[in-house]
């Protein structure tokens, strides 16, 4: 799974799911009297291990503001990046079959470059083997989960070049692959 934040529509409950395999990312949490601040940091750089350079790529802040009466209070919730709160109404995964990009141009957290011995040799994978087929391209996810849930693709037939925008399709064969690394084993 990927790092996500969601809020129950019937309560103030907020859930954060996070993963940081091999310290590829981590959460930093500050709790104060009236503020809870959560920041997500992901590993960046070109070195496979040991560099451990990080950049903030998500934030969630819950602030309780005292009202004018002793019993009233308001809350403010701000979220962005990897911790942007997803809701149960909008689409999480959406592929329009209009663009295929090199995987290296659309990095996915924890999907790292590996050598033949499966050793990590870089932070950004340029390809991945999916059931015996090398996938080196990505199809962007336009849903709420965003780039982390891009599809890794190979051998997908031509898009319908005559279709109007948003109505494209692709041709799949037995050697085609359409995989979501963030969903788990492949």
């Amino acid at each position: 799974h990927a790092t996500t934040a969601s809020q129950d529509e019937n309560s103030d409950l907020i859930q954060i799911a996070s993963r940081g395999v091999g310290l590829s990312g981590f959460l930093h949490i500050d709790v104060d009297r009236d503020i809870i601040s959560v920041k997500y940091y992901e590993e960046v750089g070109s070195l496979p291990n040991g560099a451990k350079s990080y950049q903030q790529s998500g934030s969630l802040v819950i602030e309780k503001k005292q009202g004018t009466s002793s019993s009233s209070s308001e809350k403010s919730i701000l979220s962005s990046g990897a911790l942007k709160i997803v809701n149960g109404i909008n689409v999480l995964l959406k592929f329009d079959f209009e663009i295929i990009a090199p995987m290296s141009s659309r990095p996915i957290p924890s999907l790292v470059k590996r050598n033949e011995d499966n050793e990590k040799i870089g932070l950004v994978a340029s390809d991945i083997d999916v059931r015996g087929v090398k996938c080196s391209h990505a199809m962007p996810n336009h849903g709420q989960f965003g780039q982390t849930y891009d599809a890794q693709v190979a051998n997908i037939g031509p898009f319908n070049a005559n279709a109007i925008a948003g109505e494209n399709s692709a041709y799949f064969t037995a050697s085609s692959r359409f995989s979501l690394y963030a969903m788990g084993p492949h």
Side-chain angles (χ1 to χ4, degrees):
H1 66 83
T3 299
T4 57
S6 59
Q7 181 175 6
D8 181 74
E9 58 190 59
N10 299 318
S11 72
D12 290 336
L13 177 68
I14 292 179
Q15 174 179 298
I16 296 173
S18 179
R19 122 182 210 176
V21 177
L23 279 178
S24 61
F26 64 89
L27 295 173
H28 179 267
I29 303 169
D30 283 322
V31 179
D32 199 353
R33 179 184 170 122
D34 296 324
I35 298 175
I36 298 173
S37 171
V38 182
K39 295 176 184 172
Y40 175 68
Y41 291 88
E42 68 181 343
E43 190 175 17
V44 296
S46 59
L47 299 175
N49 285 314
K52 301 299 179 208
S53 294
Y54 298 90
Q55 72 179 13
Q56 183 178 332
S57 64
S59 173
L60 183 122
V61 177
I62 304 167
E63 183 176 1
K64 180 179 169 185
K65 299 176 182 177
Q66 294 299 325
T68 54
S69 71
S70 60
S71 63
S72 69
S73 64
E74 296 179 21
K75 67 178 177 328
S76 158
I77 300 173
L78 301 172
S79 64
S80 64
L83 293 176
K84 182 170 175 49
I85 294 178
V86 297
N87 63 48
I89 298 170
N90 294 333
V91 176
L92 300 176
L93 303 172
K94 180 181 179 186
F95 302 95
D96 61 16
F97 297 96
E98 293 186 13
I99 298 171
I100 291 182
M103 276 181 50
S104 58
S105 71
R106 302 210 30 105
I108 295 174
S110 298
L111 179 53
V112 297
K113 186 173 186 143
R114 297 189 178 276
N115 64 16
E116 299 80 29
D117 296 325
N118 204 30
E119 297 168 326
K120 182 176 169 182
I121 59 171
L123 293 179
V124 178
S126 57
D127 59 66
I128 186 171
D129 182 275
V130 177
R131 293 187 346 264
V133 175
K134 180 179 175 181
C135 295
S136 59
H137 288 86
M139 184 172 295
N141 172 29
H142 300 288
Q144 287 188 84
F145 279 165
Q147 183 172 329
T148 299
Y149 281 80
D150 279 2
Q152 294 73 56
V153 299
N155 303 326
I156 294 178
F159 294 153
N160 182 354
N162 297 322
I164 59 174
E167 293 185 6
N168 286 342
S169 60
Y171 182 74
F172 290 79
T173 66
S175 66
S176 297
R177 297 295 182 265
F178 188 96
S179 173
L180 301 178
Y181 178 83
M183 296 293 280
H186 40 78

